[in-house]
Amino acid sequence: MIQESGRSMIEMLGVLAIMGVITVGAVAMISTAMRTQKRSTVTDDVLSIVTGVRSLLGEYDDFSNINNDTIFGAIGQSNANPYGGKYEVTVDPMNSRQFIVSINGLTKADCEALTTKAWSDSIGYINSNGKQSGATGKCKEDVKNVVSITYGE
């Protein structure tokens, strides 16, 4: 008798099935890592914007002179965010001693994550003794959402 060596079709299908499961797991992990990285980048960017605004306008009594182009040019940061939207800095219409950092272009999941995140130096967080996140936003499906965080006094 001649003994043949090689792999059967069933063995090959088994290997392909295992590789498919591993690939699906890897894609899910990469997707989660990318989502986490975007959120981390937004957090870092917002903190950098807040620090820049405070250092530029800290000598004034209010933030009524805020201008997006001037602010982003002065702090040397782009106003583009990782979600394809933009950061905006505006004076709070109710209180010129406060300014609002807005993050535009968010998906519903990212909007929800950023509105529940504790923005520890924000007005809302401080005034609620840490019980509220400090961010506001209406998070809806199939809409580019906006999250706003108020800073100042």
Side-chain angles (χ1 to χ4, degrees):
M1 258 194 183
I2 301 173
Q3 189 172 3
E4 293 184 33
S5 64
R7 303 281 179 238
S8 71
M9 182 64 84
I10 294 176
E11 290 173 324
M12 293 302 288
L13 287 174
V15 168
L16 288 173
I18 291 169
M19 289 175 59
V21 169
I22 291 171
T23 302
V24 167
V27 167
M29 287 176 37
I30 290 170
S31 176
T32 300
M34 289 174 61
R35 185 174 37 254
T36 302
Q37 178 60 35
K38 281 183 179 181
R39 291 176 185 166
S40 178
T41 299
V42 166
T43 300
D44 293 344
D45 288 350
V46 168
L47 294 176
S48 176
I49 292 167
V50 170
T51 302
V53 169
R54 285 180 172 159
S55 68
L56 288 171
L57 299 175
E59 63 191 52
Y60 300 106
D61 288 338
D62 64 26
F63 296 102
S64 58
N65 294 324
I66 285 181
N67 175 315
N68 268 322
D69 296 332
T70 305
I71 292 295
F72 287 103
I75 63 176
Q77 181 176 336
S78 170
N79 66 342
N81 69 42
Y83 296 102
K86 303 226 179 266
Y87 298 112
E88 291 182 14
V89 181
T90 56
V91 65
D92 186 343
M94 303 294 191
N95 184 348
S96 65
R97 298 179 62 84
Q98 297 177 352
F99 63 96
I100 302 167
V101 178
S102 298
I103 309 156
N104 301 314
L106 302 170
T107 64
K108 181 181 181 190
D110 292 313
C111 176
E112 290 170 347
L114 292 172
T115 54
T116 57
K117 179 191 177 334
W119 297 92
S120 59
D121 198 24
S122 69
I123 296 295
Y125 185 86
I126 293 169
N127 288 345
S128 70
N129 292 323
K131 294 183 178 130
Q132 295 178 356
S133 74
T136 59
K138 292 186 178 8
C139 306
K140 299 178 182 175
E141 286 288 341
D142 301 327
V143 176
K144 294 296 182 180
N145 296 288
V146 178
V147 170
S148 299
I149 311 146
T150 304
Y151 292 91
E153 298 177 4

